[in-house]
Amino acid sequence: MKKLIITIVCFFTLFGCSDNSKKEDLQNEVQSYLKGYNLQFQKLLIASNEAQWKLNTMIIEGDTITTKIATETGEAFANFTGSKENIRKAKTYLKSKDQLTPLQIKQLEIILFMAGSSPEIAGDIVKRRIKAEADQTGLLYGYKYILNSKEVTTNAIDE
């Protein structure tokens, strides 16, 4: 009887450790994925934001290069965040929510949310949207205000 109890206790101890080990392995795998995702996300976001900043602040009549760069960096960011692979991985990992940390769950949900604005399956539509946004920004901030036949800044108009 004693041997049976010891055997049962050992079995449950090993079985319990196995579950914890699987849980830790999954959490480590997800954490590794999130680390790589976040590094690439930051790199592409910085490039896109810098290109958008330049597009908004360096308005030169006839300049198409700034718009082209803003469009390309925007597309690279959209291609990454909306990639089928990132969507698939996030969905797959979220199927095991009970084994993930709350922070990992939140990050995976945000990855899916970000993918929603530029899913790879809507490829051409996303590209057209990004180009239209860059073109419109150039037009908006490149507009010359004229008051009494003289060019004025928006600050001068406010005054």
Side-chain angles (χ1 to χ4, degrees), residues 97-117:
K97 271 187 180 181
D98 58 325
Q99 297 181 34
L100 303 175
T101 67
L103 182 57
Q104 288 175 329
I105 294 168
K106 177 77 71 184
Q107 288 178 305
L108 292 168
E109 289 172 344
I110 289 171
I111 287 172
L112 290 177
F113 179 79
M114 294 292 295
S117 70

mmCIF file with all atom_site columns, all heavy atoms in Angstrom, residues 97-117:
data_model
loop_
_atom_site.group_PDB
_atom_site.id
_atom_site.type_symbol
_atom_site.label_atom_id
_atom_site.label_alt_id
_atom_site.label_comp_id
_atom_site.label_asym_id
_atom_site.label_entity_id
_atom_site.label_seq_id
_atom_site.pdbx_PDB_ins_code
_atom_site.Cartn_x
_atom_site.Cartn_y
_atom_site.Cartn_z
_atom_site.occupancy
_atom_site.B_iso_or_equiv
_atom_site.pdbx_formal_charge
_atom_site.auth_seq_id
_atom_site.auth_comp_id
_atom_site.auth_asym_id
_atom_site.auth_atom_id
_atom_site.pdbx_PDB_model_num
ATOM 1   N N   . LYS A 1 97  ? -4.066 30.875 -24.253 1.00 0.00 ? 97  LYS A N   1
ATOM 2   C CA  . LYS A 1 97  ? -4.079 32.014 -23.330 1.00 0.00 ? 97  LYS A CA  1
ATOM 3   C C   . LYS A 1 97  ? -3.846 31.602 -21.880 1.00 0.00 ? 97  LYS A C   1
ATOM 4   O O   . LYS A 1 97  ? -3.176 32.309 -21.130 1.00 0.00 ? 97  LYS A O   1
ATOM 5   C CB  . LYS A 1 97  ? -5.431 32.732 -23.385 1.00 0.00 ? 97  LYS A CB  1
ATOM 6   C CG  . LYS A 1 97  ? -5.547 33.805 -24.388 1.00 0.00 ? 97  LYS A CG  1
ATOM 7   C CD  . LYS A 1 97  ? -6.883 34.525 -24.205 1.00 0.00 ? 97  LYS A CD  1
ATOM 8   C CE  . LYS A 1 97  ? -7.038 35.621 -25.215 1.00 0.00 ? 97  LYS A CE  1
ATOM 9   N NZ  . LYS A 1 97  ? -8.285 36.347 -25.057 1.00 0.00 ? 97  LYS A NZ  1
ATOM 10  N N   . ASP A 1 98  ? -4.415 30.474 -21.512 1.00 0.00 ? 98  ASP A N   1
ATOM 11  C CA  . ASP A 1 98  ? -4.324 30.029 -20.118 1.00 0.00 ? 98  ASP A CA  1
ATOM 12  C C   . ASP A 1 98  ? -2.896 29.714 -19.695 1.00 0.00 ? 98  ASP A C   1
ATOM 13  O O   . ASP A 1 98  ? -2.604 29.618 -18.500 1.00 0.00 ? 98  ASP A O   1
ATOM 14  C CB  . ASP A 1 98  ? -5.220 28.812 -19.883 1.00 0.00 ? 98  ASP A CB  1
ATOM 15  C CG  . ASP A 1 98  ? -4.871 27.638 -20.786 1.00 0.00 ? 98  ASP A CG  1
ATOM 16  O OD1 . ASP A 1 98  ? -4.476 27.862 -21.948 1.00 0.00 ? 98  ASP A OD1 1
ATOM 17  O OD2 . ASP A 1 98  ? -4.999 26.484 -20.325 1.00 0.00 ? 98  ASP A OD2 1
ATOM 18  N N   . GLN A 1 99  ? -1.982 29.569 -20.643 1.00 0.00 ? 99  GLN A N   1
ATOM 19  C CA  . GLN A 1 99  ? -0.595 29.250 -20.320 1.00 0.00 ? 99  GLN A CA  1
ATOM 20  C C   . GLN A 1 99  ? 0.337  30.456 -20.471 1.00 0.00 ? 99  GLN A C   1
ATOM 21  O O   . GLN A 1 99  ? 1.532  30.346 -20.243 1.00 0.00 ? 99  GLN A O   1
ATOM 22  C CB  . GLN A 1 99  ? -0.104 28.103 -21.207 1.00 0.00 ? 99  GLN A CB  1
ATOM 23  C CG  . GLN A 1 99  ? -0.866 26.815 -20.976 1.00 0.00 ? 99  GLN A CG  1
ATOM 24  C CD  . GLN A 1 99  ? -0.340 25.701 -21.846 1.00 0.00 ? 99  GLN A CD  1
ATOM 25  O OE1 . GLN A 1 99  ? 0.847  25.620 -22.123 1.00 0.00 ? 99  GLN A OE1 1
ATOM 26  N NE2 . GLN A 1 99  ? -1.230 24.820 -22.273 1.00 0.00 ? 99  GLN A NE2 1
ATOM 27  N N   . LEU A 1 100 ? -0.214 31.605 -20.875 1.00 0.00 ? 100 LEU A N   1
ATOM 28  C CA  . LEU A 1 100 ? 0.592  32.801 -21.104 1.00 0.00 ? 100 LEU A CA  1
ATOM 29  C C   . LEU A 1 100 ? 0.428  33.793 -19.962 1.00 0.00 ? 100 LEU A C   1
ATOM 30  O O   . LEU A 1 100 ? -0.551 33.745 -19.223 1.00 0.00 ? 100 LEU A O   1
ATOM 31  C CB  . LEU A 1 100 ? 0.194  33.458 -22.427 1.00 0.00 ? 100 LEU A CB  1
ATOM 32  C CG  . LEU A 1 100 ? 0.279  32.588 -23.676 1.00 0.00 ? 100 LEU A CG  1
ATOM 33  C CD1 . LEU A 1 100 ? -0.256 33.333 -24.888 1.00 0.00 ? 100 LEU A CD1 1
ATOM 34  C CD2 . LEU A 1 100 ? 1.711  32.136 -23.914 1.00 0.00 ? 100 LEU A CD2 1
ATOM 35  N N   . THR A 1 101 ? 1.370  34.721 -19.876 1.00 0.00 ? 101 THR A N   1
ATOM 36  C CA  . THR A 1 101 ? 1.261  35.773 -18.874 1.00 0.00 ? 101 THR A CA  1
ATOM 37  C C   . THR A 1 101 ? 0.276  36.829 -19.374 1.00 0.00 ? 101 THR A C   1
ATOM 38  O O   . THR A 1 101 ? 0.072  36.960 -20.593 1.00 0.00 ? 101 THR A O   1
ATOM 39  C CB  . THR A 1 101 ? 2.625  36.441 -18.603 1.00 0.00 ? 101 THR A CB  1
ATOM 40  O OG1 . THR A 1 101 ? 3.025  37.160 -19.769 1.00 0.00 ? 101 THR A OG1 1
ATOM 41  C CG2 . THR A 1 101 ? 3.687  35.406 -18.233 1.00 0.00 ? 101 THR A CG2 1
ATOM 42  N N   . PRO A 1 102 ? -0.311 37.598 -18.479 1.00 0.00 ? 102 PRO A N   1
ATOM 43  C CA  . PRO A 1 102 ? -1.228 38.664 -18.918 1.00 0.00 ? 102 PRO A CA  1
ATOM 44  C C   . PRO A 1 102 ? -0.564 39.657 -19.880 1.00 0.00 ? 102 PRO A C   1
ATOM 45  O O   . PRO A 1 102 ? -1.195 40.111 -20.836 1.00 0.00 ? 102 PRO A O   1
ATOM 46  C CB  . PRO A 1 102 ? -1.630 39.346 -17.608 1.00 0.00 ? 102 PRO A CB  1
ATOM 47  C CG  . PRO A 1 102 ? -1.481 38.288 -16.570 1.00 0.00 ? 102 PRO A CG  1
ATOM 48  C CD  . PRO A 1 102 ? -0.300 37.467 -17.018 1.00 0.00 ? 102 PRO A CD  1
ATOM 49  N N   . LEU A 1 103 ? 0.696  39.967 -19.650 1.00 0.00 ? 103 LEU A N   1
ATOM 50  C CA  . LEU A 1 103 ? 1.404  40.897 -20.534 1.00 0.00 ? 103 LEU A CA  1
ATOM 51  C C   . LEU A 1 103 ? 1.584  40.301 -21.931 1.00 0.00 ? 103 LEU A C   1
ATOM 52  O O   . LEU A 1 103 ? 1.412  40.999 -22.938 1.00 0.00 ? 103 LEU A O   1
ATOM 53  C CB  . LEU A 1 103 ? 2.765  41.270 -19.941 1.00 0.00 ? 103 LEU A CB  1
ATOM 54  C CG  . LEU A 1 103 ? 3.590  42.280 -20.742 1.00 0.00 ? 103 LEU A CG  1
ATOM 55  C CD1 . LEU A 1 103 ? 2.817  43.580 -20.958 1.00 0.00 ? 103 LEU A CD1 1
ATOM 56  C CD2 . LEU A 1 103 ? 4.911  42.547 -20.042 1.00 0.00 ? 103 LEU A CD2 1
ATOM 57  N N   . GLN A 1 104 ? 1.903  39.027 -22.010 1.00 0.00 ? 104 GLN A N   1
ATOM 58  C CA  . GLN A 1 104 ? 2.047  38.374 -23.314 1.00 0.00 ? 104 GLN A CA  1
ATOM 59  C C   . GLN A 1 104 ? 0.722  38.369 -24.060 1.00 0.00 ? 104 GLN A C   1
ATOM 60  O O   . GLN A 1 104 ? 0.682  38.631 -25.267 1.00 0.00 ? 104 GLN A O   1
ATOM 61  C CB  . GLN A 1 104 ? 2.575  36.947 -23.145 1.00 0.00 ? 104 GLN A CB  1
ATOM 62  C CG  . GLN A 1 104 ? 4.025  36.880 -22.730 1.00 0.00 ? 104 GLN A CG  1
ATOM 63  C CD  . GLN A 1 104 ? 4.494  35.466 -22.443 1.00 0.00 ? 104 GLN A CD  1
ATOM 64  O OE1 . GLN A 1 104 ? 3.726  34.612 -21.997 1.00 0.00 ? 104 GLN A OE1 1
ATOM 65  N NE2 . GLN A 1 104 ? 5.771  35.209 -22.686 1.00 0.00 ? 104 GLN A NE2 1
ATOM 66  N N   . ILE A 1 105 ? -0.350 38.105 -23.351 1.00 0.00 ? 105 ILE A N   1
ATOM 67  C CA  . ILE A 1 105 ? -1.680 38.111 -23.978 1.00 0.00 ? 105 ILE A CA  1
ATOM 68  C C   . ILE A 1 105 ? -1.978 39.496 -24.534 1.00 0.00 ? 105 ILE A C   1
ATOM 69  O O   . ILE A 1 105 ? -2.413 39.644 -25.681 1.00 0.00 ? 105 ILE A O   1
ATOM 70  C CB  . ILE A 1 105 ? -2.761 37.671 -22.970 1.00 0.00 ? 105 ILE A CB  1
ATOM 71  C CG1 . ILE A 1 105 ? -2.561 36.201 -22.587 1.00 0.00 ? 105 ILE A CG1 1
ATOM 72  C CG2 . ILE A 1 105 ? -4.167 37.893 -23.532 1.00 0.00 ? 105 ILE A CG2 1
ATOM 73  C CD1 . ILE A 1 105 ? -3.385 35.745 -21.396 1.00 0.00 ? 105 ILE A CD1 1
ATOM 74  N N   . LYS A 1 106 ? -1.732 40.526 -23.745 1.00 0.00 ? 106 LYS A N   1
ATOM 75  C CA  . LYS A 1 106 ? -1.992 41.905 -24.175 1.00 0.00 ? 106 LYS A CA  1
ATOM 76  C C   . LYS A 1 106 ? -1.163 42.253 -25.411 1.00 0.00 ? 106 LYS A C   1
ATOM 77  O O   . LYS A 1 106 ? -1.673 42.827 -26.370 1.00 0.00 ? 106 LYS A O   1
ATOM 78  C CB  . LYS A 1 106 ? -1.670 42.860 -23.024 1.00 0.00 ? 106 LYS A CB  1
ATOM 79  C CG  . LYS A 1 106 ? -1.825 44.330 -23.339 1.00 0.00 ? 106 LYS A CG  1
ATOM 80  C CD  . LYS A 1 106 ? -3.229 44.812 -23.351 1.00 0.00 ? 106 LYS A CD  1
ATOM 81  C CE  . LYS A 1 106 ? -3.804 44.858 -21.969 1.00 0.00 ? 106 LYS A CE  1
ATOM 82  N NZ  . LYS A 1 106 ? -5.201 45.242 -21.964 1.00 0.00 ? 106 LYS A NZ  1
ATOM 83  N N   . GLN A 1 107 ? 0.108  41.871 -25.421 1.00 0.00 ? 107 GLN A N   1
ATOM 84  C CA  . GLN A 1 107 ? 0.961  42.165 -26.565 1.00 0.00 ? 107 GLN A CA  1
ATOM 85  C C   . GLN A 1 107 ? 0.490  41.442 -27.826 1.00 0.00 ? 107 GLN A C   1
ATOM 86  O O   . GLN A 1 107 ? 0.483  42.027 -28.916 1.00 0.00 ? 107 GLN A O   1
ATOM 87  C CB  . GLN A 1 107 ? 2.419  41.800 -26.252 1.00 0.00 ? 107 GLN A CB  1
ATOM 88  C CG  . GLN A 1 107 ? 3.072  42.754 -25.281 1.00 0.00 ? 107 GLN A CG  1
ATOM 89  C CD  . GLN A 1 107 ? 4.493  42.340 -24.956 1.00 0.00 ? 107 GLN A CD  1
ATOM 90  O OE1 . GLN A 1 107 ? 4.738  41.216 -24.526 1.00 0.00 ? 107 GLN A OE1 1
ATOM 91  N NE2 . GLN A 1 107 ? 5.430  43.243 -25.152 1.00 0.00 ? 107 GLN A NE2 1
ATOM 92  N N   . LEU A 1 108 ? 0.103  40.198 -27.694 1.00 0.00 ? 108 LEU A N   1
ATOM 93  C CA  . LEU A 1 108 ? -0.384 39.442 -28.858 1.00 0.00 ? 108 LEU A CA  1
ATOM 94  C C   . LEU A 1 108 ? -1.686 40.044 -29.385 1.00 0.00 ? 108 LEU A C   1
ATOM 95  O O   . LEU A 1 108 ? -1.896 40.113 -30.606 1.00 0.00 ? 108 LEU A O   1
ATOM 96  C CB  . LEU A 1 108 ? -0.572 37.970 -28.490 1.00 0.00 ? 108 LEU A CB  1
ATOM 97  C CG  . LEU A 1 108 ? 0.725  37.200 -28.206 1.00 0.00 ? 108 LEU A CG  1
ATOM 98  C CD1 . LEU A 1 108 ? 0.424  35.847 -27.581 1.00 0.00 ? 108 LEU A CD1 1
ATOM 99  C CD2 . LEU A 1 108 ? 1.559  37.041 -29.463 1.00 0.00 ? 108 LEU A CD2 1
ATOM 100 N N   . GLU A 1 109 ? -2.544 40.486 -28.497 1.00 0.00 ? 109 GLU A N   1
ATOM 101 C CA  . GLU A 1 109 ? -3.794 41.133 -28.923 1.00 0.00 ? 109 GLU A CA  1
ATOM 102 C C   . GLU A 1 109 ? -3.507 42.448 -29.649 1.00 0.00 ? 109 GLU A C   1
ATOM 103 O O   . GLU A 1 109 ? -4.161 42.774 -30.641 1.00 0.00 ? 109 GLU A O   1
ATOM 104 C CB  . GLU A 1 109 ? -4.715 41.361 -27.724 1.00 0.00 ? 109 GLU A CB  1
ATOM 105 C CG  . GLU A 1 109 ? -5.314 40.071 -27.181 1.00 0.00 ? 109 GLU A CG  1
ATOM 106 C CD  . GLU A 1 109 ? -6.074 40.239 -25.874 1.00 0.00 ? 109 GLU A CD  1
ATOM 107 O OE1 . GLU A 1 109 ? -5.904 41.278 -25.194 1.00 0.00 ? 109 GLU A OE1 1
ATOM 108 O OE2 . GLU A 1 109 ? -6.831 39.308 -25.522 1.00 0.00 ? 109 GLU A OE2 1
ATOM 109 N N   . ILE A 1 110 ? -2.513 43.187 -29.187 1.00 0.00 ? 110 ILE A N   1
ATOM 110 C CA  . ILE A 1 110 ? -2.145 44.436 -29.852 1.00 0.00 ? 110 ILE A CA  1
ATOM 111 C C   . ILE A 1 110 ? -1.542 44.163 -31.226 1.00 0.00 ? 110 ILE A C   1
ATOM 112 O O   . ILE A 1 110 ? -1.790 44.912 -32.174 1.00 0.00 ? 110 ILE A O   1
ATOM 113 C CB  . ILE A 1 110 ? -1.203 45.273 -28.961 1.00 0.00 ? 110 ILE A CB  1
ATOM 114 C CG1 . ILE A 1 110 ? -2.007 45.826 -27.771 1.00 0.00 ? 110 ILE A CG1 1
ATOM 115 C CG2 . ILE A 1 110 ? -0.537 46.398 -29.733 1.00 0.00 ? 110 ILE A CG2 1
ATOM 116 C CD1 . ILE A 1 110 ? -1.196 46.492 -26.703 1.00 0.00 ? 110 ILE A CD1 1
ATOM 117 N N   . ILE A 1 111 ? -0.781 43.086 -31.347 1.00 0.00 ? 111 ILE A N   1
ATOM 118 C CA  . ILE A 1 111 ? -0.234 42.707 -32.654 1.00 0.00 ? 111 ILE A CA  1
ATOM 119 C C   . ILE A 1 111 ? -1.385 42.481 -33.641 1.00 0.00 ? 111 ILE A C   1
ATOM 120 O O   . ILE A 1 111 ? -1.341 42.960 -34.774 1.00 0.00 ? 111 ILE A O   1
ATOM 121 C CB  . ILE A 1 111 ? 0.664  41.455 -32.537 1.00 0.00 ? 111 ILE A CB  1
ATOM 122 C CG1 . ILE A 1 111 ? 1.986  41.836 -31.866 1.00 0.00 ? 111 ILE A CG1 1
ATOM 123 C CG2 . ILE A 1 111 ? 0.901  40.800 -33.899 1.00 0.00 ? 111 ILE A CG2 1
ATOM 124 C CD1 . ILE A 1 111 ? 2.873  40.663 -31.510 1.00 0.00 ? 111 ILE A CD1 1
ATOM 125 N N   . LEU A 1 112 ? -2.427 41.785 -33.201 1.00 0.00 ? 112 LEU A N   1
ATOM 126 C CA  . LEU A 1 112 ? -3.589 41.558 -34.080 1.00 0.00 ? 112 LEU A CA  1
ATOM 127 C C   . LEU A 1 112 ? -4.320 42.860 -34.375 1.00 0.00 ? 112 LEU A C   1
ATOM 128 O O   . LEU A 1 112 ? -4.782 43.087 -35.500 1.00 0.00 ? 112 LEU A O   1
ATOM 129 C CB  . LEU A 1 112 ? -4.542 40.539 -33.445 1.00 0.00 ? 112 LEU A CB  1
ATOM 130 C CG  . LEU A 1 112 ? -4.033 39.104 -33.399 1.00 0.00 ? 112 LEU A CG  1
ATOM 131 C CD1 . LEU A 1 112 ? -5.039 38.206 -32.689 1.00 0.00 ? 112 LEU A CD1 1
ATOM 132 C CD2 . LEU A 1 112 ? -3.747 38.585 -34.795 1.00 0.00 ? 112 LEU A CD2 1
ATOM 133 N N   . PHE A 1 113 ? -4.428 43.725 -33.385 1.00 0.00 ? 113 PHE A N   1
ATOM 134 C CA  . PHE A 1 113 ? -5.085 45.019 -33.590 1.00 0.00 ? 113 PHE A CA  1
ATOM 135 C C   . PHE A 1 113 ? -4.324 45.843 -34.633 1.00 0.00 ? 113 PHE A C   1
ATOM 136 O O   . PHE A 1 113 ? -4.926 46.421 -35.538 1.00 0.00 ? 113 PHE A O   1
ATOM 137 C CB  . PHE A 1 113 ? -5.169 45.782 -32.255 1.00 0.00 ? 113 PHE A CB  1
ATOM 138 C CG  . PHE A 1 113 ? -5.805 47.129 -32.380 1.00 0.00 ? 113 PHE A CG  1
ATOM 139 C CD1 . PHE A 1 113 ? -7.180 47.257 -32.449 1.00 0.00 ? 113 PHE A CD1 1
ATOM 140 C CD2 . PHE A 1 113 ? -5.026 48.280 -32.428 1.00 0.00 ? 113 PHE A CD2 1
ATOM 141 C CE1 . PHE A 1 113 ? -7.770 48.496 -32.576 1.00 0.00 ? 113 PHE A CE1 1
ATOM 142 C CE2 . PHE A 1 113 ? -5.608 49.524 -32.555 1.00 0.00 ? 113 PHE A CE2 1
ATOM 143 C CZ  . PHE A 1 113 ? -6.991 49.641 -32.622 1.00 0.00 ? 113 PHE A CZ  1
ATOM 144 N N   . MET A 1 114 ? -2.996 45.899 -34.501 1.00 0.00 ? 114 MET A N   1
ATOM 145 C CA  . MET A 1 114 ? -2.165 46.642 -35.453 1.00 0.00 ? 114 MET A CA  1
ATOM 146 C C   . MET A 1 114 ? -2.271 46.040 -36.855 1.00 0.00 ? 114 MET A C   1
ATOM 147 O O   . MET A 1 114 ? -2.262 46.765 -37.849 1.00 0.00 ? 114 MET A O   1
ATOM 148 C CB  . MET A 1 114 ? -0.704 46.643 -34.998 1.00 0.00 ? 114 MET A CB  1
ATOM 149 C CG  . MET A 1 114 ? -0.431 47.385 -33.712 1.00 0.00 ? 114 MET A CG  1
ATOM 150 S SD  . MET A 1 114 ? -0.645 49.151 -33.832 1.00 0.00 ? 114 MET A SD  1
ATOM 151 C CE  . MET A 1 114 ? 0.647  49.571 -34.973 1.00 0.00 ? 114 MET A CE  1
ATOM 152 N N   . ALA A 1 115 ? -2.370 44.725 -36.933 1.00 0.00 ? 115 ALA A N   1
ATOM 153 C CA  . ALA A 1 115 ? -2.475 44.058 -38.229 1.00 0.00 ? 115 ALA A CA  1
ATOM 154 C C   . ALA A 1 115 ? -3.782 44.420 -38.919 1.00 0.00 ? 115 ALA A C   1
ATOM 155 O O   . ALA A 1 115 ? -3.864 44.419 -40.147 1.00 0.00 ? 115 ALA A O   1
ATOM 156 C CB  . ALA A 1 115 ? -2.380 42.550 -38.057 1.00 0.00 ? 115 ALA A CB  1
ATOM 157 N N   . GLY A 1 116 ? -4.794 44.769 -38.137 1.00 0.00 ? 116 GLY A N   1
ATOM 158 C CA  . GLY A 1 116 ? -6.100 45.097 -38.703 1.00 0.00 ? 116 GLY A CA  1
ATOM 159 C C   . GLY A 1 116 ? -6.099 46.324 -39.591 1.00 0.00 ? 116 GLY A C   1
ATOM 160 O O   . GLY A 1 116 ? -6.933 46.445 -40.484 1.00 0.00 ? 116 GLY A O   1
ATOM 161 N N   . SER A 1 117 ? -5.143 47.243 -39.395 1.00 0.00 ? 117 SER A N   1
ATOM 162 C CA  . SER A 1 117 ? -5.126 48.442 -40.228 1.00 0.00 ? 117 SER A CA  1
ATOM 163 C C   . SER A 1 117 ? -4.396 48.233 -41.545 1.00 0.00 ? 117 SER A C   1
ATOM 164 O O   . SER A 1 117 ? -4.484 49.075 -42.439 1.00 0.00 ? 117 SER A O   1
ATOM 165 C CB  . SER A 1 117 ? -4.493 49.609 -39.471 1.00 0.00 ? 117 SER A CB  1
ATOM 166 O OG  . SER A 1 117 ? -3.112 49.393 -39.309 1.00 0.00 ? 117 SER A OG  1
#
